[in-house]
Coordinates of all heavy atoms in Angstrom, one line a residue:
R8 N 21.1 -94.8 29.6 CA 21.2 -95.4 31.0 C 20.9 -94.3 31.9 O 20.3 -94.7 33.1 CB 22.5 -96.0 31.1 CG 22.8 -97.2 30.2 CD 24.0 -98.0 30.7 NE 23.9 -98.7 31.9 CZ 23.2 -99.8 32.0 NH1 22.8 -100.4 30.8 NH2 23.2 -100.5 33.1
I9 N 21.2 -93.0 31.7 CA 20.9 -92.0 32.8 C 19.4 -91.9 32.8 O 18.8 -91.8 33.9 CB 21.6 -90.7 32.4 CG1 23.1 -90.8 32.6 CG2 21.1 -89.5 33.2 CD1 24.0 -89.8 32.0
L10 N 18.8 -91.8 31.7 CA 17.3 -91.7 31.6 C 16.7 -92.9 32.3 O 15.8 -92.8 33.1 CB 16.9 -91.6 30.1 CG 15.3 -91.6 29.9 CD1 14.8 -90.4 30.5 CD2 15.0 -91.7 28.4
A11 N 17.3 -94.1 32.0 CA 16.7 -95.3 32.7 C 16.8 -95.2 34.1 O 15.9 -95.7 34.8 CB 17.5 -96.4 32.1
A12 N 18.0 -94.8 34.6 CA 18.2 -94.7 36.1 C 17.1 -93.9 36.7 O 16.5 -94.1 37.8 CB 19.6 -94.3 36.4
A13 N 16.9 -92.7 36.1 CA 15.9 -91.8 36.6 C 14.5 -92.4 36.6 O 13.7 -92.4 37.6 CB 15.9 -90.5 35.9
T14 N 14.2 -93.0 35.4 CA 13.0 -93.7 35.4 C 12.7 -94.8 36.3 O 11.7 -95.0 36.9 CB 12.6 -94.2 33.9 OG1 13.1 -93.2 33.1 CG2 11.2 -94.4 33.7
L15 N 13.9 -95.5 36.6 CA 13.9 -96.6 37.5 C 13.5 -96.3 38.9 O 12.6 -96.9 39.5 CB 15.3 -97.3 37.6 CG 15.6 -98.3 38.5 CD1 14.7 -99.5 38.1 CD2 17.0 -98.8 38.5
L16 N 13.9 -95.1 39.3 CA 13.6 -94.6 40.6 C 12.1 -94.4 40.8 O 11.4 -94.9 41.7 CB 14.2 -93.3 41.0 CG 15.8 -93.4 41.1 CD1 16.4 -92.0 41.3 CD2 16.1 -94.3 42.3
A17 N 11.5 -93.9 39.7 CA 10.0 -93.8 39.7 C 9.3 -95.1 39.7 O 8.3 -95.4 40.3 CB 9.6 -92.9 38.5
L18 N 9.9 -96.0 38.8 CA 9.3 -97.4 38.8 C 9.4 -98.2 40.1 O 8.5 -98.9 40.4 CB 10.0 -98.1 37.7 CG 9.3 -98.0 36.3 CD1 10.2 -98.6 35.3 CD2 7.9 -98.6 36.3
L19 N 10.5 -98.0 40.8 CA 10.6 -98.7 42.1 C 9.5 -98.4 43.0 O 8.9 -99.3 43.6 CB 12.0 -98.4 42.6 CG 13.2 -99.1 42.0 CD1 14.5 -98.5 42.5 CD2 13.1 -100.6 42.2
A20 N 9.2 -97.1 43.0 CA 8.0 -96.7 43.8 C 6.8 -97.2 43.3 O 6.0 -97.8 44.0 CB 7.9 -95.1 43.9
L21 N 6.6 -97.2 42.0 CA 5.4 -97.7 41.3 C 5.2 -99.2 41.6 O 4.2 -99.7 42.0 CB 5.5 -97.5 39.8 CG 4.3 -98.0 39.0 CD1 3.0 -97.3 39.4 CD2 4.6 -97.8 37.5
S22 N 6.3 -100.0 41.5 CA 6.2 -101.4 41.5 C 6.0 -101.8 43.0 O 5.4 -102.9 43.3 CB 7.4 -102.2 40.9 OG 8.6 -101.8 41.6
A23 N 6.5 -101.0 43.9 CA 6.4 -101.2 45.4 C 4.8 -101.2 45.7 O 4.3 -102.1 46.4 CB 7.0 -100.4 46.2
C24 N 4.2 -100.3 45.0 CA 2.7 -100.0 45.3 C 1.9 -101.1 44.6 O 0.9 -101.6 45.1 CB 2.3 -98.7 44.8 SG 3.1 -97.3 45.5
A25 N 2.5 -101.6 43.4 CA 1.7 -102.4 42.6 C 1.8 -103.9 42.9 O 1.1 -104.7 42.4 CB 1.9 -102.3 41.1
A26 N 2.6 -104.1 43.9 CA 3.0 -105.5 44.4 C 3.3 -106.4 43.2 O 3.0 -107.6 43.1 CB 1.7 -106.1 45.1
G27 N 4.0 -105.8 42.2 CA 4.4 -106.6 41.0 C 5.7 -107.2 41.3 O 6.2 -107.3 42.4
P28 N 6.4 -107.8 40.3 CA 7.7 -108.5 40.5 C 8.6 -107.5 41.1 O 8.7 -106.4 40.7 CB 8.0 -108.9 39.1 CG 7.3 -108.2 38.2 CD 6.0 -107.8 38.9
V29 N 9.4 -107.9 42.0 CA 10.5 -107.1 42.7 C 11.6 -106.8 41.5 O 12.0 -107.6 40.9 CB 11.1 -107.7 43.8 CG1 12.1 -106.9 44.5 CG2 10.0 -108.0 44.9
F30 N 11.9 -105.5 41.5 CA 13.0 -105.1 40.5 C 14.0 -104.4 41.2 O 13.8 -103.4 41.9 CB 12.3 -104.2 39.4 CG 13.3 -103.8 38.4 CD1 14.0 -104.7 37.7 CD2 13.4 -102.4 38.0 CE1 14.9 -104.4 36.7 CE2 14.3 -102.1 37.1 CZ 15.0 -103.1 36.3
H31 N 15.1 -105.0 41.3 CA 16.3 -104.5 42.1 C 17.1 -103.4 41.2 O 17.2 -103.7 40.0 CB 17.2 -105.6 42.6 CG 16.5 -106.5 43.4 ND1 16.0 -106.3 44.6 CD2 16.1 -107.8 43.1 CE1 15.4 -107.4 45.0 NE2 15.5 -108.3 44.2
A32 N 17.5 -102.4 41.9 CA 18.4 -101.5 41.2 C 19.6 -102.2 40.7 O 20.0 -103.2 41.4 CB 18.8 -100.4 42.1
R33 N 20.2 -101.7 39.7 CA 21.4 -102.4 39.2 C 22.5 -102.4 40.3 O 22.8 -101.4 40.9 CB 22.0 -101.7 37.9 CG 23.1 -102.2 37.4 CD 23.5 -101.6 36.0 NE 24.5 -102.4 35.3 CZ 25.8 -102.1 35.3 NH1 26.2 -101.1 36.1 NH2 26.6 -102.8 34.7
Q34 N 23.1 -103.6 40.4 CA 24.2 -103.8 41.4 C 25.5 -103.5 40.7 O 25.7 -103.7 39.5 CB 24.2 -105.1 42.0 CG 22.9 -105.4 42.8 CD 22.7 -106.9 42.9 OE1 23.6 -107.7 42.7 NE2 21.5 -107.3 43.4
I35 N 26.3 -102.9 41.5 CA 27.7 -102.7 40.9 C 28.4 -104.0 40.8 O 28.6 -104.8 41.8 CB 28.5 -101.7 41.8 CG1 27.8 -100.5 42.0 CG2 30.0 -101.6 41.2 CD1 27.5 -99.7 40.7
T36 N 28.8 -104.4 39.6 CA 29.3 -105.8 39.4 C 30.7 -105.7 38.7 O 30.9 -104.8 37.9 CB 28.4 -106.7 38.7 OG1 28.1 -106.1 37.4 CG2 27.2 -107.0 39.4
A37 N 31.6 -106.7 39.0 CA 32.8 -106.7 38.3 C 32.4 -107.3 36.9 O 31.3 -107.7 36.6 CB 33.7 -107.5 39.0
A38 N 33.3 -107.3 36.0 CA 33.1 -107.9 34.7 C 32.8 -109.3 34.9 O 33.4 -110.0 35.9 CB 34.3 -107.8 33.8

Side-chain angles (χ1 to χ4, degrees):
R8 290 191 77 80
I9 291 165
L10 175 66
T14 316
L15 175 63
L16 293 173
L18 268 175
L19 284 170
L21 177 65
S22 58
C24 300
V29 177
F30 184 51
H31 304 288
R33 182 172 188 264
Q34 296 161 14
I35 305 300
T36 54

